[in-house]
């Protein structure tokens, strides 16, 4: 599945053929239908869900191992920018890549990407509330963070420049900083 996720990140769902998938995985062609009787569509759903969980866990790990939320959010964006540059702007988010392609044409994959994004919102909101933010504020910030990161991936890939990711990160970091200060002020009253 890792090979398929990488192909989806680089070429998209429709741009990735089954022959490419089995070649990248070093597996016999028949194994796809053995493990995924629904073929590429079933494999695609599974890859989206698994990749989504891996990306969620990566971001949560960065946040959890940072000295504070502001630093953690900044590290998510700088890490993403570094990865884009290091991979020649090919390794962005496979969820965003697939969602852009299939949201209007493939309902099972649209649902899978929506489920992943919903999971990210829930998990991120939980982490942000641990830092004293009200739930509605936390969810708004996490929504902004995801939208900013995913949109910046598209722009950075097109421009072949990490600036959009870094700029989006700076804006989200400042929003988190302000929200934490406001939450602290409310607690002090």
């Amino acid at each position: 599945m890792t090979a398929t996720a990488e192909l989806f990140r680089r070429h998209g769902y429709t741009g990735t053929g089954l022959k490419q998938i089995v070649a990248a995985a070093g597996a016999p062609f028949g194994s796809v239908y053995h493990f995924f009787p629904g073929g590429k569509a079933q494999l695609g759903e599974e890859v989206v869900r698994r990749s989504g969980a891996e990306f969620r866990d990566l971001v949560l790990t960065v946040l959890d191992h940072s000295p504070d939320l502001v630093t953690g959010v900044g590290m998510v964006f700088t890490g993403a920018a570094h990865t884009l540059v290091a991979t020649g702007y090919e390794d962005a988010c496979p969820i965003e890549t697939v969602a852009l392609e299939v949201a209007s044409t493939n309902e099972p994959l649209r649902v899978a990407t929506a489920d992943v994004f919903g999971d990210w919102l829930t998990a991120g909101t939980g982490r942000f509330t641990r830092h004293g933010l009200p739930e509605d504020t936390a969810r708004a910030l996490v929504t902004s963070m995801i939208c900013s990161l995913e949109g910046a991936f598209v722009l950075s890939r097109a421009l072949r420049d990490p600036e959009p990711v870094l700029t989006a990160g700076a804006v989200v970091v400042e929003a988190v900083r302000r929200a934490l200060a406001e939450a602290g002020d409310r607690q002090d009253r």
Side-chain angles (χ1 to χ4, degrees):
M1 289 232 217
T2 302
T4 305
E6 183 175 322
L7 289 168
F8 284 177
R9 271 195 305 272
R10 293 170 186 246
H11 307 291
Y13 176 78
T14 56
T16 300
L18 284 177
K19 288 181 181 178
Q20 287 175 289
I21 292 169
V22 295
F29 192 81
S31 66
V32 171
Y33 292 100
H34 174 75
F35 292 105
F36 303 98
K40 183 180 171 185
Q42 183 183 6
L43 174 62
E45 278 185 73
E46 192 64 33
V47 166
V48 163
R49 292 181 189 283
R50 186 171 291 178
S51 295
E54 289 172 1
F55 273 71
R56 176 203 62 219
D57 293 346
L58 173 65
V59 169
L60 294 179
T61 298
V62 170
L63 294 175
D64 290 347
H65 288 93
S66 297
D68 55 68
L69 185 60
V70 171
T71 302
V73 169
M75 289 175 67
V76 167
F77 282 88
T78 57
H82 174 76
T83 299
L84 280 174
V85 171
T87 62
Y89 297 90
E90 291 184 352
D91 278 346
C93 175
I95 312 309
E96 166 254 332
T97 303
V98 172
L100 284 172
E101 271 188 283
V102 302
S104 300
T105 60
N106 185 317
E107 185 63 10
L109 280 174
R110 185 207 61 79
V111 169
T113 59
D115 288 347
V116 166
F117 287 133
D119 178 55
W120 290 359
L121 288 167
T122 299
T125 299
R127 284 309 195 279
F128 279 41
T129 58
R130 288 184 191 172
H131 293 273
L133 292 171
E135 188 169 345
D136 61 334
T137 301
R139 186 169 175 88
L141 286 167
V142 172
T143 300
S144 178
M145 180 176 161
I146 293 169
C147 291
S148 296
L149 187 57
E150 297 298 342
F153 277 147
V154 173
L155 195 52
S156 283
R157 287 178 83 181
L159 296 173
R160 295 292 194 252
D161 188 340
E163 180 187 14
V165 173
L166 297 172
T167 300
V171 171
V172 174
V173 162
E174 186 54 34
V176 170
R177 182 179 285 117
R178 279 194 316 269
L180 287 168
E182 288 173 16
D185 288 347
R186 278 192 296 261
Q187 288 176 350
D188 291 342
R189 290 181 198 163

